[in-house]
Amino acid sequence: RKGKSPEEVVKKYLQKVRNPPEEDCTICMESLGGPSGYKGPGVAGVARAESVGRLTRCGHQYHVQCLVAMYNNGNRDGSLQCPTCKSIYGVKTGSQPPGKMEYHVIPHSLPGHPDCRTIRIIYTIPPGIQGPEHPNPGKPFTARGFPRHCYLPDSEKGRKVLRLLLVAWDRRLLFSVGTSSTTGESDTVIWNEVHHKTEFGSNLTGHGYPDPGHLDNVLEELRAQGITEEDSLPR
Ligand code: APR
Ligand code: ZN
């Protein structure tokens, strides 16, 4: 989608390693002292099979060809995530299908948050046809239970979570297309890695209030997607 080739993207985040350590590449499980064990398509002519790179911030080392193969298997958005420590290079985006995210404040308190009102988020995603970033491109996907309503306390921390969720929505990270672990249905829209509370006054599903750790958990899950407070300032 972007102008850069997979090799250019990957190399942007790497330093060259001249003397590879006596360790295995955790992508292909072969020694970093020998060639990449990756045998699939898409890496011919990319570096030499023996080339090893070190990710600039976290320092983890891999065969360059293995990283390019990993990048090719993802959604090729110009970002790279270290498979060992999950550090994100560039801006991670996801494969959330088109739809809309809306929110408003309702004049009721959530269990556990008696002193403030409540933010209700409404996600609307219609069914559609899977794109190249989805498990079965060209095949339809279903979308169950939309609009999905979610709740946050309208407190300082709840509003911060909302700001970061808006960034996550723009980066297509809140939903994906796959197999629902609740229903077993495949080729359907599912929640992706960032937990939401979909119950208001009860907790029958375990996705309701009270849950004192919820906001901190969500902030941690957003951080794992590369989203922190700095991302939410200029909108
Ligand atoms: N509310 C919020 N989160 C949920 C719910 C729920 N009712 N059910 C599952 N999750 C969380 C799971 O804990 C998991 O982390 O979503 C993640 C993916 O679970 P799946 O079951 O694969 O997701 P999905 O099929 O999208 O959700 C099932 O959630 O909002 C409802 O209407 C939706 O009934 C559907 C249910
Ligand atoms: Zn390797």
Side-chain angles (χ1 to χ4, degrees):
R1 241 177 290 146
K2 303 261 164 59
K4 281 191 178 348
S5 73
E7 179 176 11
E8 287 171 316
V9 171
V10 167
K11 285 191 168 168
K12 194 165 65 163
Y13 305 127
L14 289 179
Q15 291 161 340
K16 206 169 170 52
V17 174
R18 295 188 191 283
N19 299 301
E22 298 285 310
E23 285 166 26
D24 289 348
C25 168
T26 56
I27 297 177
C28 70
M29 303 301 174
E30 301 289 338
S31 169
L32 286 171
S36 163
Y38 178 74
K39 292 288 182 289
V43 299
V46 171
R48 296 178 311 121
E50 290 78 15
S51 295
V52 170
R54 178 195 295 110
L55 286 169
T56 49
R57 253 183 306 117
C58 65
H60 290 113
Q61 300 184 25
Y62 306 95
H63 294 111
V64 175
Q65 286 192 349
C66 289
L67 282 173
V68 171
M70 186 188 81
Y71 179 79
N72 283 335
N73 283 329
N75 58 357
R76 306 192 198 200
D77 61 3
S79 78
L80 196 69
Q81 188 157 23
C82 175
T84 301
C85 68
K86 311 295 176 203
S87 291
I88 295 169
Y89 296 82
V91 176
K92 177 176 166 151
T93 63
S95 59
Q96 173 185 289
K100 66 178 192 236
M101 173 180 182
E102 302 164 291
Y103 62 91
H104 52 242
V105 173
I106 56 176
H108 303 284
S109 297
L110 288 162
H113 298 276
D115 301 327
C116 65
R117 299 188 297 171
T118 297
I119 299 165
R120 175 161 62 203
I121 306 174
I122 304 173
Y123 294 110
T124 308
I125 297 181
I129 304 293
Q130 297 181 52
E133 70 276 40
H134 295 135
N136 294 298
K139 206 178 154 185
F141 63 85
T142 58
R144 308 292 183 195
F146 289 95
R148 294 189 185 183
H149 290 194
C150 306
Y151 304 95
L152 290 171
D154 188 23
S155 60
E156 202 170 318
K157 203 182 231 181
R159 288 190 290 270
K160 172 175 170 178
V161 168
L162 174 65
R163 287 195 299 277
L164 301 192
L165 288 175
L166 288 162
V167 176
W169 172 268
D170 285 344
R171 295 183 187 176
R172 305 178 62 200
L173 291 166
L174 294 181
F175 297 89
S176 62
V177 173
T179 300
S180 167
S181 50
T182 302
T183 65
E185 184 179 9
S186 59
D187 302 294
T188 193
V189 179
I190 52 176
W191 293 113
N192 178 51
E193 317 264 320
V194 180
H195 279 89
H196 285 70
K197 294 298 191 189
T198 51
E199 281 192 73
F200 180 86
S202 59
N203 194 4
L204 303 171
T205 57
H207 302 286
Y209 290 90
D211 180 352
H214 176 59
L215 296 177
D216 286 325
N217 291 341
V218 181
L219 289 172
E220 196 46 48
E221 291 170 339
L222 286 161
R223 171 183 289 282
Q225 300 295 324
I227 300 174
T228 58
E229 187 76 66
E230 293 91 75
D231 295 286
S232 73
L233 294 176
R235 271 191 68 77

